[in-house]
């Protein structure tokens, strides 16, 4: 497996263009970025999520923004979709966002007290 | 760097003409203005396929495509979609609506397609080897070098049933085998990218959209046949293809994917680009070889075939761009996987360029055996301006004209050959009922008169003779003996011309005689039911 190892070395030396939907994407994070979300601080949440994913090198996660989810009162809203199962978190800030990435995505246990809806 | 969104701007030739350069610049400006440079990555990618609706861009991860953009539209997309996360409905691609689903994958234009050759086209930055490697690029090559002998590779390709995509449909594995076992050294591998067929631009867009895929296919092919030197013969007008390919070669060399000891193996192979000078006949493999050697582009007598005596008299394998682009996927997923796609005699997919009177003209890849009806009405979106379908020409200028009754025949090598046409180079020209078959045939013949290289008599003398008879027919002046001569001359050219140019030049004529017999009869009697192209009896002279 000499050549494959060589290719892997090349691949690892390259910068990773991630966050593109592909076959390996199993998890999606949607951040509500309607006017309501932005006003409540969704941009900081989004940037924190992205930073956290990059630090942890989570290749299987895609991040997207979405419009108003309809619960403007509870913004910033973050929706996590793992294998088709959706969980929506409310009143998220940068700290909470970091914890969600760790607990929900890395450890696989949703933080129930922040959840508003589940599918 | 982690980006939350990727914006892919099509920079294929067709969008280039429509001004995608301005779109990219405007987008870059907007991203700076909105301070989104750190969040949104702008990728200049290859053809997205919907050339009719360019300039276009796609926003990922949502997969939303915006079409027919102007610089002002870009500002709106950036502000609304990228900053605020709201769709811009008025700019969505035609089949998408906010309610029915806007993702690319839901549009019939894309959902009916099966993309193997075009899997990265419109998704990665063709000028970035990083993008290609991260899209699982060069994995097929690495695993092949590790686990397969050259004969294993040839066996896989033979078993997959891959046939040459340049037009003739010769089994690719057998061609490789001939070159592998031929004596002589060095051996050459040539990638034929001299796409001269009018209305065909698939090779151009593959080269522009995913140059590393061709390189990977070529390196695997070189390993299989034992070639040490590769040449990509690209049509001279294909500026962007040449530029991107040369860039790709330089990047691959830097990483040791070309040169000596490729990926730490014993393999030695290098590639260079050779630009053609615009002669149609140079798409013929032996004329192409003559041209590389610096001679006039004239076909050679065969045998000896290039596999025995090709470039500089050495064993040479000439493969079409699309054929080579299929190789990595076959090696990666196996011959059985490939055989399941398409039909028994023509496995795999085919890339087509849709042109003419069709709503979604552009670039598509579909499984072999799909019907013309599905391609034209479901993927192509049908005939514009409420007109009805008249004919489709498959295979480029040298292909046959198919009429409405052929809409349901499966599109593969053998079925089309059975109806006097061919898959050819993958051009699909659709014409509505406002066009006259004789006028069209005249157009095609004029092209052949111009492009005949003049080396062999049947083609040199035959093409102008065919043209003059069709010209007479269009003016209502053809006699019974002209019509007999037309058929005899066609048969003579088919059987005695030196290369495929002369052999196939009569194909559109013969298919018109068979499939549009009534219209031909009408012209013979001095009437043209569609465009009144006859001038002898008071009509006007047509465009040609």
């Amino acid at each position: 497996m000499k050549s494959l190892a060589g290719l892997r070395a090349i691949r690892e030396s390259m910068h990773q263009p991630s966050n593109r939907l592909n076959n390996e994407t199993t998890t999606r994070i949607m951040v509500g970025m309607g006017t309501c979300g932005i006003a409540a601080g969704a941009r900081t949440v989004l940037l924190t999520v992205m930073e956290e994913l990059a630090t942890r090198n989570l290749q299987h996660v895609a991040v997207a923004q979405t419009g108003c989810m309809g619960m403007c009162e509870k913004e910033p809203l973050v929706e996590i979709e793992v294998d088709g199962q959706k969980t929506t978190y409310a009143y998220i800030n940068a700290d909470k966002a970091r914890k969600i990435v760790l607990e929900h995505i890395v450890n696989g246990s949703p933080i129930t007290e922040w959840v508003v809806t589940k599918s | 760097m982690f980006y939350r969104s990727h914006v892919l701007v099509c920079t294929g030739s067709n969008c280039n003409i429509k001004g995608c350069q301005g779109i990219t610049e405007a987008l870059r400006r907007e991203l700076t203005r909105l301070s989104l440079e750190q969040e949104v990555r702008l990728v200049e990618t290859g053809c997205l396929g919907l050339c009719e609706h360019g300039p276009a861009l796609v926003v990922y991860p949502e997969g939303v495509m915006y079409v027919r953009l102007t610089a002002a539209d870009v500002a709106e997309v950036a502000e609304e979609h990228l900053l605020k996360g709201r769709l811009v409905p008025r700019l969505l691609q035609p089949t998408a609506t906010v309610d029915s689903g806007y993702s690319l994958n839901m549009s019939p234009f894309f959902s009916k397609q099966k993309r193997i050759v075009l899997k990265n086209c419109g998704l990665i930055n063709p000028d970035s080897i990083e993008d290609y490697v991260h899209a699982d690029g060069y994995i097929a090559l690495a695993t092949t070098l590790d686990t397969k002998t050259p004969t294993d590779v040839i066996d896989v390709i033979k078993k997959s049933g891959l046939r040459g995509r340049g037009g003739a449909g010769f089994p690719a594995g057998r061609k490789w085998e001939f070159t592998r076992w031929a004596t002589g050294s060095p051996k050459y591998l040539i990638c034929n990218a001299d796409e001269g067929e009018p209305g065909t631009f698939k090779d151009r867009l593959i080269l522009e959209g995913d140059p590393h895929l061709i390189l990977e296919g070529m390196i695997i092919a070189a390993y299989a046949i034992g070639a040490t030197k590769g040449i990509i013969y690209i049509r001279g007008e294909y500026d962007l293809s040449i530029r991107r390919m040369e860039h790709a070669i330089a990047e691959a060399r830097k990483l040791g994917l070309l040169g000596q000891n490729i990926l730490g193996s014993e393999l030695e192979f290098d590639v260079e680009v050779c630009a053609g000078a615009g002669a149609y006949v140079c798409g013929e493999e032996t004329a192409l070889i003559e041209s590389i050697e610096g001679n006039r582009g004239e076909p050679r007598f065969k045998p000896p075939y290039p596999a025995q005596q090709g470039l500089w008299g050495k064993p040479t394998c000439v493969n079409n761009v699309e054929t080579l682009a299929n190789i990595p996927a076959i090696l990666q997923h196996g011959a059985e996987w490939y055989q399941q796609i398409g039909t028994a005699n023509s496995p795999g997919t085919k890339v087509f360029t849709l042109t003419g009177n069709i709503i979604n003209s552009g670039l598509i890849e579909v499984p072999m055996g799909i019907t013309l009806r599905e391609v034209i009405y479901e993927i192509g979106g049908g005939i514009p301006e409420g007109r009805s379908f008249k004919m489709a020409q498959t295979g480029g200028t040298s292909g046959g004209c198919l009429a409405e009754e052929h809409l349901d025949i499966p599109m593969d090598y053998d079925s089309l050959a059975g109806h006097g046409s061919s898959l050819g180079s993958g051009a699909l020209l659709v014409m509505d009922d406002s066009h006259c078959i004789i006028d069209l045939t005249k157009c095609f013949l004029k092209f052949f008169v111009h492009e005949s290289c003049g080396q062999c008599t049947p083609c040199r003398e035959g093409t102008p003779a065919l043209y003059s008879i069709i010209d007479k027919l269009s003016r209502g002046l053809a006699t019974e003996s002209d019509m007999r001569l037309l058929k005899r001359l066609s048969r003579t050219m088919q059987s005695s011309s030196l290369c495929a140019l002369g052999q196939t030049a009569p194909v559109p004529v013969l298919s018109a005689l068979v499939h549009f017999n009534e219209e031909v009869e009408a012209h013979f009697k001095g009437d043209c039911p569609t465009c009144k192209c006859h001038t002898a009896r008071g009509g006007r002279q047509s465009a040609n």
Side-chain angles (χ1 to χ4, degrees):
Chain A
M1 291 295 153
K2 199 167 61 173
S3 299
L4 200 55
L7 181 68
R8 243 179 232 135
I10 291 176
R11 185 165 168 160
E12 271 154 29
S13 71
M14 287 171 170
H15 109 108
Q16 308 262 341
S18 44
N19 198 24
R20 199 78 70 70
L21 281 188
N22 56 36
N23 297 334
E24 290 153 26
T25 313
T26 54
T27 302
R28 248 161 90 109
I29 305 181
M30 302 278 271
V31 181
M33 295 275 277
T35 310
C36 44
I38 295 172
R43 186 160 298 279
T44 326
V45 172
L46 180 76
L47 293 174
T48 312
V49 168
M50 282 161 52
E51 201 181 288
E52 200 60 17
L53 293 177
T55 330
R56 296 179 182 278
N57 195 19
L58 298 175
Q59 290 295 309
H60 64 292
V61 186
V63 187
Q65 60 174 355
T66 181
C68 172
M69 296 187 193
M71 295 183 282
C72 312
E73 157 62 22
K74 298 188 187 343
E75 291 280 1
L77 288 159
V78 172
E79 185 180 282
I80 312 273
E81 185 180 336
V82 183
D83 298 326
Q85 174 106 41
K86 287 183 188 169
T87 312
T88 311
Y89 291 101
Y91 301 121
I92 300 306
N93 55 27
D95 279 348
K96 285 180 172 177
R98 259 183 233 113
K99 284 199 186 102
I100 289 171
V101 171
L102 175 68
E103 293 298 329
H104 193 147
I105 292 171
V106 180
N107 298 335
S109 55
I111 308 173
T112 42
E113 62 262 43
W114 302 339
V115 173
V116 276
T117 57
K118 255 179 108 166
S119 71
Chain B
M1 187 60 120
F2 194 98
Y3 294 97
R4 72 170 159 86
S5 189
H6 285 71
V7 180
L8 278 58
V9 182
C10 177
T11 57
S13 290
N14 295 348
C15 284
N16 225 325
I17 293 166
K18 291 180 173 175
C20 68
Q21 221 47 44
I23 300 297
T24 320
E25 280 159 26
L27 189 58
R28 199 162 276 138
R29 261 198 320 273
E30 286 302 310
L31 291 181
T32 317
R33 188 175 70 82
L34 301 167
S35 322
L36 293 173
E37 305 115 303
Q38 303 299 315
E39 296 171 37
V40 179
R41 181 177 178 228
L42 172 60
V43 183
E44 294 179 60
T45 186
C47 180
L48 295 165
L50 271 172
C51 307
E52 178 73 28
H53 304 287
L57 60 80
V58 185
V59 183
Y60 280 91
E62 297 95 323
V64 179
M65 187 182 213
Y66 293 113
V67 297
R68 294 180 190 270
L69 297 168
T70 62
D73 294 333
V74 171
E76 192 177 339
V77 169
E79 175 107 20
E80 285 294 305
H81 191 144
L82 300 176
L83 185 69
K84 298 177 186 162
R86 292 196 288 235
L87 291 181
V88 186
R90 69 174 184 93
L91 298 172
L92 289 176
Q93 51 141 334
T95 51
T97 60
V98 180
D99 300 327
S100 74
Y102 47 77
S103 175
L104 272 190
N105 308 328
M106 296 180 193
S107 142
F109 182 80
F110 289 99
S111 64
K112 293 287 283 189
Q113 295 192 42
K114 166 94 191 160
R115 294 186 154 220
I116 296 172
V117 170
L118 301 179
K119 68 176 168 138
N120 292 330
C121 204
L123 282 175
I124 65 167
N125 177 353
D127 274 336
S128 157
I129 193 169
E130 282 94 345
D131 270 25
Y132 183 72
V133 168
H134 282 294
D136 286 346
Y138 291 111
I139 280 190
L141 170 68
T143 36
T144 301
L145 292 178
D146 281 338
T147 58
K148 290 189 173 65
T149 65
T151 30
D152 288 345
V153 178
I154 292 176
D155 286 342
V156 171
I157 300 301
K158 273 170 79 178
K159 209 171 144 212
S160 77
L162 174 69
R163 296 170 69 170
R165 296 290 194 255
F170 190 80
R174 276 178 55 205
K175 207 173 198 177
W176 285 12
E177 201 170 34
F178 294 150
T179 321
R180 167 101 213 148
W181 301 120
T183 47
S185 147
K187 288 178 183 164
Y188 293 99
L189 172 68
I190 297 175
C191 170
N192 183 348
D194 188 57
E195 192 172 43
E197 204 68 70
T200 313
F201 45 89
K202 65 167 178 86
D203 292 343
R204 165 184 223 165
L205 296 177
I206 298 169
L207 287 166
E208 285 171 9
D210 202 1
H212 285 286
L213 182 68
I214 313 298
L215 281 185
E216 187 176 358
M218 283 185 81
I219 303 168
I220 296 172
Y223 176 66
I225 63 179
T228 47
K229 180 96 192 121
I231 292 166
I232 309 179
Y233 187 91
I234 306 181
R235 185 180 163 151
E237 295 94 323
Y238 284 8
D239 272 347
L240 192 60
S241 304
I242 294 172
R243 211 167 65 223
R244 290 207 173 139
M245 202 60 196
E246 282 177 339
H247 180 76
I249 292 170
E251 284 202 301
R253 267 194 207 128
K254 260 188 249 162
L255 292 178
L257 292 159
L258 287 174
Q260 288 174 334
N261 302 103
I262 292 173
L263 285 173
S265 70
E266 301 292 300
L267 181 62
E268 181 193 340
F269 182 62
D270 208 349
V271 177
E272 67 177 284
V273 171
C274 177
Y280 176 71
V281 75
C282 289
E284 198 280 337
E285 57 183 14
T286 56
L288 186 153
I289 289 170
E290 285 290 322
S291 164
I292 295 176
E293 291 184 1
N295 304 325
R296 266 180 77 131
E298 287 180 340
R300 293 177 179 173
F301 287 89
K302 290 192 261 191
Y305 288 92
Q308 275 77 43
Q309 282 178 42
L311 185 61
W312 312 114
K314 302 293 181 191
T316 304
C317 177
V318 185
N319 285 136
N320 174 259
V321 171
E322 191 187 342
T323 314
L324 291 165
N326 271 293
I327 304 299
I330 297 174
L331 268 296
Q332 200 176 348
H333 303 292
E336 291 78 12
W337 167 82
Y338 197 74
Q339 276 173 332
Q340 283 167 9
I341 306 162
T343 62
N345 288 326
S346 312
T349 58
K350 183 79 191 79
V351 182
F352 286 101
T353 45
L354 296 180
T355 52
N357 302 121
I358 189 154
I359 290 174
N360 297 328
S361 67
L363 178 74
I364 61 164
E365 182 175 358
V366 287
M368 290 275 192
I370 193 170
T371 64
L372 206 50
R373 189 183 298 280
E374 284 173 277
V375 172
I376 296 173
Y377 289 95
E378 293 179 35
I379 300 174
I383 316 288
E385 291 165 25
R387 302 205 72 107
S388 53
F389 173 83
K390 175 162 183 174
M391 65 132 234
Q393 191 188 32
T394 61
T397 312
S398 57
C401 300
L402 298 171
E404 198 163 358
E405 68 256 34
H406 303 113
L407 277 175
D408 291 310
I409 60 168
M411 309 245 285
D412 59 47
Y413 290 102
D414 307 305
S415 307
L416 285 175
H419 289 85
S421 188
S422 66
L423 269 184
S425 56
L428 186 55
L429 174 70
V430 182
M431 288 284 169
D432 68 24
D433 53 3
S434 67
H435 294 275
C436 162
I437 192 77
I438 297 299
D439 203 28
L440 273 172
T441 312
K442 222 165 106 178
C443 248
F444 300 147
L445 287 172
K446 195 166 186 183
F447 173 76
F448 287 121
V449 172
H450 180 73
E451 290 293 353
S452 173
C453 77
Q455 183 181 199
C456 74
T457 317
C459 178
R460 183 185 62 236
E461 303 299 329
T463 44
L466 284 183
Y467 177 81
S468 75
I469 297 173
I470 293 291
D471 182 48
K472 275 168 90 178
L473 183 62
S474 77
R475 290 186 284 134
L477 296 172
T479 61
E480 289 279 352
S481 83
D482 282 332
M483 298 308 281
R484 278 196 302 275
L485 180 61
L486 187 68
K487 286 181 192 161
R488 244 185 72 202
L489 193 56
S490 295
R491 279 196 300 273
T492 308
M493 286 174 68
Q494 286 186 311
S495 60
S496 60
S497 293
L498 181 55
C499 80
L501 199 164
Q503 288 160 15
T504 57
V507 168
V509 180
L510 291 173
S511 68
L513 291 182
V514 177
H515 301 323
F516 297 89
N517 189 28
E518 277 176 29
E519 212 175 321
V520 175
E521 287 290 314
H523 279 87
F524 183 68
K525 291 187 185 125
D527 184 30
C528 171
T530 40
C531 71
K532 310 289 171 201
C533 59
H534 58 295
T535 50
R537 309 202 179 156
R540 67 178 167 80
Q541 176 84 49
S542 72
N544 286 287

PDB file of all heavy atoms in Angstrom, chain B residues 2 29 51-52 57 103 169 279 312 322 337 342 347 497 520-521 526 540:
ATOM      1  N   PHE B   2     -12.423  26.834   7.607  1.00  0.00           N
ATOM      2  CA  PHE B   2     -13.759  26.269   7.495  1.00  0.00           C
ATOM      3  C   PHE B   2     -14.708  27.324   6.940  1.00  0.00           C
ATOM      4  O   PHE B   2     -14.818  28.409   7.495  1.00  0.00           O
ATOM      5  CB  PHE B   2     -14.232  25.813   8.877  1.00  0.00           C
ATOM      6  CG  PHE B   2     -15.436  24.924   8.811  1.00  0.00           C
ATOM      7  CD1 PHE B   2     -15.298  23.550   8.878  1.00  0.00           C
ATOM      8  CD2 PHE B   2     -16.697  25.462   8.649  1.00  0.00           C
ATOM      9  CE1 PHE B   2     -16.404  22.730   8.803  1.00  0.00           C
ATOM     10  CE2 PHE B   2     -17.806  24.640   8.567  1.00  0.00           C
ATOM     11  CZ  PHE B   2     -17.660  23.278   8.647  1.00  0.00           C
ATOM     12  N   ARG B  29     -16.291  41.510  -4.768  1.00  0.00           N
ATOM     13  CA  ARG B  29     -16.498  42.844  -4.188  1.00  0.00           C
ATOM     14  C   ARG B  29     -17.571  42.803  -3.106  1.00  0.00           C
ATOM     15  O   ARG B  29     -17.403  43.353  -2.019  1.00  0.00           O
ATOM     16  CB  ARG B  29     -16.959  43.819  -5.282  1.00  0.00           C
ATOM     17  CG  ARG B  29     -15.864  44.695  -5.841  1.00  0.00           C
ATOM     18  CD  ARG B  29     -16.421  45.922  -6.586  1.00  0.00           C
ATOM     19  NE  ARG B  29     -17.611  45.678  -7.406  1.00  0.00           N
ATOM     20  CZ  ARG B  29     -17.579  45.267  -8.670  1.00  0.00           C
ATOM     21  NH1 ARG B  29     -16.436  45.029  -9.268  1.00  0.00           N
ATOM     22  NH2 ARG B  29     -18.702  45.102  -9.339  1.00  0.00           N
ATOM     23  N   CYS B  51     -25.913  25.571 -19.860  1.00  0.00           N
ATOM     24  CA  CYS B  51     -25.265  26.655 -20.603  1.00  0.00           C
ATOM     25  C   CYS B  51     -26.262  27.695 -21.108  1.00  0.00           C
ATOM     26  O   CYS B  51     -25.952  28.871 -21.200  1.00  0.00           O
ATOM     27  CB  CYS B  51     -24.473  26.093 -21.764  1.00  0.00           C
ATOM     28  SG  CYS B  51     -23.342  24.818 -21.241  1.00  0.00           S
ATOM     29  N   GLU B  52     -27.446  27.224 -21.471  1.00  0.00           N
ATOM     30  CA  GLU B  52     -28.469  28.125 -21.999  1.00  0.00           C
ATOM     31  C   GLU B  52     -28.758  29.256 -21.018  1.00  0.00           C
ATOM     32  O   GLU B  52     -29.076  30.359 -21.412  1.00  0.00           O
ATOM     33  CB  GLU B  52     -29.741  27.307 -22.249  1.00  0.00           C
ATOM     34  CG  GLU B  52     -30.932  28.087 -22.743  1.00  0.00           C
ATOM     35  CD  GLU B  52     -30.773  28.524 -24.186  1.00  0.00           C
ATOM     36  OE1 GLU B  52     -30.065  27.819 -24.923  1.00  0.00           O
ATOM     37  OE2 GLU B  52     -31.345  29.564 -24.562  1.00  0.00           O
ATOM     38  N   LEU B  57     -24.530  30.532 -11.006  1.00  0.00           N
ATOM     39  CA  LEU B  57     -23.740  30.141  -9.847  1.00  0.00           C
ATOM     40  C   LEU B  57     -24.577  29.254  -8.936  1.00  0.00           C
ATOM     41  O   LEU B  57     -25.800  29.254  -9.004  1.00  0.00           O
ATOM     42  CB  LEU B  57     -23.190  31.351  -9.094  1.00  0.00           C
ATOM     43  CG  LEU B  57     -24.123  32.399  -8.499  1.00  0.00           C
ATOM     44  CD1 LEU B  57     -24.705  31.938  -7.174  1.00  0.00           C
ATOM     45  CD2 LEU B  57     -23.343  33.689  -8.255  1.00  0.00           C
ATOM     46  N   SER B 103     -33.419  22.798  -4.447  1.00  0.00           N
ATOM     47  CA  SER B 103     -32.096  22.210  -4.520  1.00  0.00           C
ATOM     48  C   SER B 103     -31.870  21.653  -5.917  1.00  0.00           C
ATOM     49  O   SER B 103     -32.787  21.145  -6.555  1.00  0.00           O
ATOM     50  CB  SER B 103     -31.954  21.100  -3.489  1.00  0.00           C
ATOM     51  OG  SER B 103     -30.718  20.487  -3.667  1.00  0.00           O
ATOM     52  N   GLY B 169     -16.686   3.714 -31.036  1.00  0.00           N
ATOM     53  CA  GLY B 169     -17.168   2.726 -30.066  1.00  0.00           C
ATOM     54  C   GLY B 169     -16.341   1.469 -29.987  1.00  0.00           C
ATOM     55  O   GLY B 169     -16.832   0.409 -29.608  1.00  0.00           O
ATOM     56  N   ALA B 279      -7.973  21.721 -37.956  1.00  0.00           N
ATOM     57  CA  ALA B 279      -8.516  20.918 -39.050  1.00  0.00           C
ATOM     58  C   ALA B 279      -9.398  19.808 -38.479  1.00  0.00           C
ATOM     59  O   ALA B 279      -9.005  19.096 -37.577  1.00  0.00           O
ATOM     60  CB  ALA B 279      -7.387  20.315 -39.865  1.00  0.00           C
ATOM     61  N   TRP B 312       5.792   8.582 -34.392  1.00  0.00           N
ATOM     62  CA  TRP B 312       7.205   8.327 -34.691  1.00  0.00           C
ATOM     63  C   TRP B 312       7.459   6.836 -34.938  1.00  0.00           C
ATOM     64  O   TRP B 312       8.509   6.293 -34.598  1.00  0.00           O
ATOM     65  CB  TRP B 312       8.132   8.810 -33.561  1.00  0.00           C
ATOM     66  CG  TRP B 312       7.849  10.206 -33.084  1.00  0.00           C
ATOM     67  CD1 TRP B 312       7.389  10.554 -31.864  1.00  0.00           C
ATOM     68  CD2 TRP B 312       7.999  11.435 -33.800  1.00  0.00           C
ATOM     69  NE1 TRP B 312       7.227  11.903 -31.773  1.00  0.00           N
ATOM     70  CE2 TRP B 312       7.602  12.476 -32.944  1.00  0.00           C
ATOM     71  CE3 TRP B 312       8.413  11.761 -35.110  1.00  0.00           C
ATOM     72  CZ2 TRP B 312       7.597  13.819 -33.340  1.00  0.00           C
ATOM     73  CZ3 TRP B 312       8.424  13.097 -35.494  1.00  0.00           C
ATOM     74  CH2 TRP B 312       8.031  14.100 -34.612  1.00  0.00           C
ATOM     75  N   GLU B 322     -13.263  11.598 -23.098  1.00  0.00           N
ATOM     76  CA  GLU B 322     -14.325  11.021 -22.262  1.00  0.00           C
ATOM     77  C   GLU B 322     -14.014   9.565 -21.894  1.00  0.00           C
ATOM     78  O   GLU B 322     -14.340   9.119 -20.791  1.00  0.00           O
ATOM     79  CB  GLU B 322     -15.665  11.127 -23.005  1.00  0.00           C
ATOM     80  CG  GLU B 322     -16.861  10.799 -22.143  1.00  0.00           C
ATOM     81  CD  GLU B 322     -18.160  10.758 -22.947  1.00  0.00           C
ATOM     82  OE1 GLU B 322     -18.207  11.302 -24.075  1.00  0.00           O
ATOM     83  OE2 GLU B 322     -19.125  10.168 -22.443  1.00  0.00           O
ATOM     84  N   TRP B 337     -19.765  -2.978 -11.305  1.00  0.00           N
ATOM     85  CA  TRP B 337     -20.501  -1.738 -11.050  1.00  0.00           C
ATOM     86  C   TRP B 337     -20.765  -1.003 -12.361  1.00  0.00           C
ATOM     87  O   TRP B 337     -21.870  -0.535 -12.619  1.00  0.00           O
ATOM     88  CB  TRP B 337     -19.677  -0.858 -10.100  1.00  0.00           C
ATOM     89  CG  TRP B 337     -20.150   0.562  -9.984  1.00  0.00           C
ATOM     90  CD1 TRP B 337     -21.164   1.023  -9.210  1.00  0.00           C
ATOM     91  CD2 TRP B 337     -19.618   1.710 -10.674  1.00  0.00           C
ATOM     92  NE1 TRP B 337     -21.302   2.384  -9.366  1.00  0.00           N
ATOM     93  CE2 TRP B 337     -20.373   2.826 -10.261  1.00  0.00           C
ATOM     94  CE3 TRP B 337     -18.580   1.898 -11.594  1.00  0.00           C
ATOM     95  CZ2 TRP B 337     -20.119   4.116 -10.732  1.00  0.00           C
ATOM     96  CZ3 TRP B 337     -18.339   3.188 -12.066  1.00  0.00           C
ATOM     97  CH2 TRP B 337     -19.101   4.278 -11.641  1.00  0.00           C
ATOM     98  N   GLY B 342     -26.233   1.661 -17.816  1.00  0.00           N
ATOM     99  CA  GLY B 342     -26.379   1.645 -19.267  1.00  0.00           C
ATOM    100  C   GLY B 342     -26.961   0.347 -19.776  1.00  0.00           C
ATOM    101  O   GLY B 342     -27.729  -0.310 -19.074  1.00  0.00           O
ATOM    102  N   PRO B 347     -22.213  -0.363 -21.974  1.00  0.00           N
ATOM    103  CA  PRO B 347     -22.293  -0.018 -20.555  1.00  0.00           C
ATOM    104  C   PRO B 347     -21.840   1.413 -20.289  1.00  0.00           C
ATOM    105  O   PRO B 347     -21.120   2.001 -21.101  1.00  0.00           O
ATOM    106  CB  PRO B 347     -21.332  -1.001 -19.883  1.00  0.00           C
ATOM    107  CG  PRO B 347     -20.850  -1.906 -20.944  1.00  0.00           C
ATOM    108  CD  PRO B 347     -21.117  -1.280 -22.264  1.00  0.00           C
ATOM    109  N   SER B 497     -13.690   5.579 -49.140  1.00  0.00           N
ATOM    110  CA  SER B 497     -12.909   6.693 -48.605  1.00  0.00           C
ATOM    111  C   SER B 497     -11.862   6.160 -47.635  1.00  0.00           C
ATOM    112  O   SER B 497     -12.053   5.126 -47.008  1.00  0.00           O
ATOM    113  CB  SER B 497     -13.808   7.683 -47.867  1.00  0.00           C
ATOM    114  OG  SER B 497     -14.659   8.313 -48.790  1.00  0.00           O
ATOM    115  N   VAL B 520     -38.174  15.165 -49.165  1.00  0.00           N
ATOM    116  CA  VAL B 520     -37.243  15.076 -50.288  1.00  0.00           C
ATOM    117  C   VAL B 520     -38.030  15.033 -51.596  1.00  0.00           C
ATOM    118  O   VAL B 520     -37.716  15.736 -52.559  1.00  0.00           O
ATOM    119  CB  VAL B 520     -36.335  13.832 -50.135  1.00  0.00           C
ATOM    120  CG1 VAL B 520     -35.450  13.660 -51.362  1.00  0.00           C
ATOM    121  CG2 VAL B 520     -35.483  13.945 -48.881  1.00  0.00           C
ATOM    122  N   GLU B 521     -39.104  14.226 -51.612  1.00  0.00           N
ATOM    123  CA  GLU B 521     -39.963  14.125 -52.804  1.00  0.00           C
ATOM    124  C   GLU B 521     -40.533  15.498 -53.168  1.00  0.00           C
ATOM    125  O   GLU B 521     -40.554  15.888 -54.335  1.00  0.00           O
ATOM    126  CB  GLU B 521     -41.128  13.174 -52.519  1.00  0.00           C
ATOM    127  CG  GLU B 521     -40.724  11.707 -52.470  1.00  0.00           C
ATOM    128  CD  GLU B 521     -40.352  11.172 -53.850  1.00  0.00           C
ATOM    129  OE1 GLU B 521     -41.107  11.447 -54.801  1.00  0.00           O
ATOM    130  OE2 GLU B 521     -39.298  10.520 -53.967  1.00  0.00           O
ATOM    131  N   GLY B 526     -40.154  20.362 -56.762  1.00  0.00           N
ATOM    132  CA  GLY B 526     -40.022  21.813 -56.855  1.00  0.00           C
ATOM    133  C   GLY B 526     -40.735  22.582 -55.766  1.00  0.00           C
ATOM    134  O   GLY B 526     -40.986  23.778 -55.891  1.00  0.00           O
ATOM    135  N   ARG B 540     -37.090  32.016 -52.856  1.00  0.00           N
ATOM    136  CA  ARG B 540     -35.870  32.770 -52.559  1.00  0.00           C
ATOM    137  C   ARG B 540     -34.700  31.817 -52.311  1.00  0.00           C
ATOM    138  O   ARG B 540     -34.897  30.668 -51.976  1.00  0.00           O
ATOM    139  CB  ARG B 540     -36.086  33.660 -51.338  1.00  0.00           C
ATOM    140  CG  ARG B 540     -36.263  32.858 -50.096  1.00  0.00           C
ATOM    141  CD  ARG B 540     -36.429  33.699 -48.873  1.00  0.00           C
ATOM    142  NE  ARG B 540     -36.894  32.824 -47.808  1.00  0.00           N
ATOM    143  CZ  ARG B 540     -36.091  32.031 -47.112  1.00  0.00           C
ATOM    144  NH1 ARG B 540     -34.808  32.007 -47.333  1.00  0.00           N
ATOM    145  NH2 ARG B 540     -36.580  31.246 -46.164  1.00  0.00           N
TER     146      ARG B 540
END
